[in-house]
């Protein structure tokens, strides 16, 4: 449903569905029930100023009956945010698409404690493009290629490509060169298939029994010495810390798009991605350490452009800090 309020400060107005019935006579009564314990005076002032609107952009006041509207829209009061010390890189822009390099730690879209500090809101404000919409998402901790639509009139033609899986994505990650103890050796390239699920109430994605709905092709590109690993030809245990582990750079080609799919599939092989705080083990929540980003990068994306009919490919200019 189209919002009757325009984007403001890079952020869409919030939509609220009013209940069909209840002990509330007016729309304001219901909003007081929901959020009156936080800022009752602010809610009253918004109704008085006509800043809360219904269908067609009709301003509501304190007396507007609950049954007069199904949906109402309003602007949230945005709390101050500390700027995340990372920058977006613009790789391509035309009348239909914007392609950027999203850095680690920056979320793709507003949510939770990150509103202004999201790639979407930053770009809307920076470029003056209130209609900008991402065509897909990258996890906050994942860096790399992100496509956004700049034109509502052609947006659907690109969305169809993602819906029909006609977009090929390529990722890179850094992990151990060999699986962790207890996991069998892997003969690369390998294809991991399983069934994954993730509920909104649970932080992690899970592998469950059933028909596979997630698939990733994984290829080991090269190996190199990790922190504390002995140099080639050096006897094990001769390093100052008594050992270490060789690492490898991997290419990941997902053929589906489940939440945390790549992280889960690597961990299932005993090859958890370097600096992953979720898989294979959920670590205690800690402030972001900008010196230790998740070693996962969306390296490239390719598809046949629905406007020009020509194949296109966009490649990230970023590099994983641990890919020596």
């Amino acid at each position: 449903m189209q919002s009757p309020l325009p984007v403001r400060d890079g952020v869409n107005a919030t939509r609220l569905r009013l209940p069909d019935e209840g002990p509330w006579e007016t729309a304001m009564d219901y909003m007081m029930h929901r959020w009156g314990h936080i800022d009752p005076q602010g809610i009253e002032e918004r109704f008085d100023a006509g800043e809360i609107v219904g269908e067609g952009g009709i301003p509501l006041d304190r007396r507007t009956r609950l049954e007069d509207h199904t949906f109402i829209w309003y602007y949230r009061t945005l709390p101050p945010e500390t700027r995340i010390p990372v920058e977006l890189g613009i790789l391509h822009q035309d009348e239909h698409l914007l392609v950027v390099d999203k850095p680690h730690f920056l979320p793709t879209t507003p949510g939770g404690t990150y509103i202004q500090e999201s790639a979407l809101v930053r770009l809307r404000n920076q470029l003056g493009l209130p209609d900008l919409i991402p065509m897909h998402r990258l996890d906050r901790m994942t860096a790399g290629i992100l496509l956004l639509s700049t034109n509502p009139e052609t947006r659907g033609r690109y969305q169809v490509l993602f819906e029909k899986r006609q977009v090929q994505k390529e990722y890179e990650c850094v992990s151990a060169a060999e699986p962790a103890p207890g996991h069998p050796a892997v003969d690369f390239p390998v294809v991991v298939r399983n069934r994954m699920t993730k509920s909104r109430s649970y932080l992690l994605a899970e592998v469950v029994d059933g028909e596979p709905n997630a698939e990733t092709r994984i290829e080991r590109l090269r190996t190199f010495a990790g922190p504390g690993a002995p140099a080639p030809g050096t006897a094990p245990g001769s390093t100052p810390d008594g050992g270490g582990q060789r690492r490898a750079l991997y290419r990941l080609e997902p053929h589906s798009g489940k939440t945390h799919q790549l992280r889960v599939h690597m961990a299932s092989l005993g090859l958890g991605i370097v600096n992953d705080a979720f898989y294979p083990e959920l670590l205690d929540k800690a402030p972001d350490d900008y010196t230790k980003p998740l070693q996962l990068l969306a390296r490239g994306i390719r598809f046949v452009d629905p406007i020009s009919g020509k194949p296109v490919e966009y490649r990230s200019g970023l590099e994983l800090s641990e890919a020596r």
Side-chain angles (χ1 to χ4, degrees), residues 173-181 183-188 190 192 218-220 223 245-250 252 262-276 279-280 294-296:
C173 75
V174 175
S175 182
E178 301 296 336
H183 291 266
V186 180
D187 184 16
F188 293 102
V190 64
V192 178
I218 302 171
E219 178 182 359
R220 188 168 60 193
T223 62
Q245 186 181 54
R246 290 188 64 77
R247 288 181 175 174
L249 179 67
Y250 295 88
L252 313 175
L262 301 179
R263 299 161 73 171
V264 170
H265 281 180
M266 287 297 292
S268 72
L269 299 177
L271 297 168
I273 298 173
V274 171
N275 298 334
D276 192 343
Y279 308 96
L294 175 71
Q295 294 299 287
L296 179 61

Side-chain angles (χ1 to χ4, degrees), residues 55-68:
E55 290 91 341
I58 300 172
L60 279 62
D61 59 33
R62 299 190 188 202
R63 298 175 300 279
T64 301
R65 296 177 303 171
L66 184 70
E67 62 268 23
D68 285 355

Side-chain angles (χ1 to χ4, degrees), residues 9-309:
D9 297 327
V11 182
N12 295 85
T14 296
R15 185 181 73 175
L16 174 68
R17 183 186 181 97
L18 297 177
D20 295 329
E21 58 184 16
W24 313 282
E25 293 185 1
T26 66
M28 193 179 81
D29 289 341
Y30 179 67
M31 289 197 74
M32 284 293 191
H33 166 74
R34 292 285 299 269
W35 296 292
H37 62 289
I38 299 174
D39 184 17
Q41 183 177 351
I43 293 175
E44 292 176 345
E45 290 174 349
R46 287 188 181 197
F47 274 98
D48 292 342
E51 294 181 354
I52 298 176
V53 305
E55 290 91 341
I58 300 172
L60 279 62
D61 59 33
R62 299 190 188 202
R63 298 175 300 279
T64 301
R65 296 177 303 171
L66 184 70
E67 62 268 23
D68 285 355
H69 295 274
T70 301
F71 293 98
I72 61 176
W73 287 263
Y74 60 95
Y75 294 111
R76 287 175 289 175
T77 299
L78 302 180
E81 296 178 54
T82 301
R83 184 172 177 82
I84 300 174
V86 295
E87 300 298 332
L88 285 149
I90 297 177
L91 303 177
H92 171 83
Q93 183 177 354
D94 61 32
E95 59 182 317
H96 306 292
L97 284 180
L98 175 69
V99 185
V100 302
D101 253 338
K102 186 190 81 67
H104 296 285
F105 301 104
L106 190 70
T108 297
T109 56
T113 58
Y114 304 99
I115 306 297
Q116 294 290 329
E117 285 305 288
S118 64
L120 178 60
V121 174
R122 275 200 191 183
L123 290 166
R124 281 177 171 176
N125 290 331
Q126 176 185 339
L127 301 176
L129 295 173
D131 290 326
L132 198 64
I133 292 293
M135 293 287 89
H136 60 112
R137 294 193 181 192
L138 294 179
D139 289 343
R140 187 171 79 89
M141 293 303 183
T142 303
I145 289 289
L146 178 66
L147 265 66
L148 303 99
S149 164
T150 61
N151 188 342
E153 294 183 2
T154 60
R155 181 169 300 152
R157 300 179 70 175
Y158 290 95
Q159 289 174 328
V160 167
L161 298 180
F162 286 90
E163 292 168 1
K164 293 186 175 181
R165 297 184 181 178
Q166 294 175 348
V167 176
Q168 289 75 50
K169 300 177 184 177
E170 176 189 339
Y171 290 74
E172 291 176 0
C173 75
V174 175
S175 182
E178 301 296 336
H183 291 266
V186 180
D187 184 16
F188 293 102
V190 64
V191 175
V192 178
R193 295 186 186 92
N194 53 30
R195 185 166 190 82
M196 291 179 55
T197 183
K198 185 181 185 299
S199 70
R200 292 187 176 182
S201 61
Y202 188 57
L203 188 62
L204 303 181
E206 298 179 284
V207 175
V208 297
D209 293 334
E211 183 73 19
N213 63 358
E215 177 179 319
T216 307
R217 182 184 185 275
I218 302 171
E219 178 182 359
R220 188 168 60 193
L221 299 178
R222 59 182 174 85
T223 62
F224 51 91
T234 305
S238 61
T239 54
D241 64 358
Q245 186 181 54
R246 290 188 64 77
R247 288 181 175 174
L249 179 67
Y250 295 88
R251 176 186 292 128
L252 313 175
E253 297 176 345
H255 297 156
S256 51
K258 297 299 180 182
T259 300
H260 295 175
Q261 175 178 320
L262 301 179
R263 299 161 73 171
V264 170
H265 281 180
M266 287 297 292
S268 72
L269 299 177
L271 297 168
I273 298 173
V274 171
N275 298 334
D276 192 343
F278 283 14
Y279 308 96
E281 179 182 357
L282 179 62
L283 304 181
D284 291 337
K285 174 66 176 175
D288 289 337
D289 184 344
Y290 298 113
T291 68
K292 295 181 178 180
L294 175 71
Q295 294 299 287
L296 179 61
L297 172 69
R299 171 58 70 194
I301 191 167
R302 62 186 185 276
F303 53 90
V304 175
D305 190 282
I307 306 299
S308 68

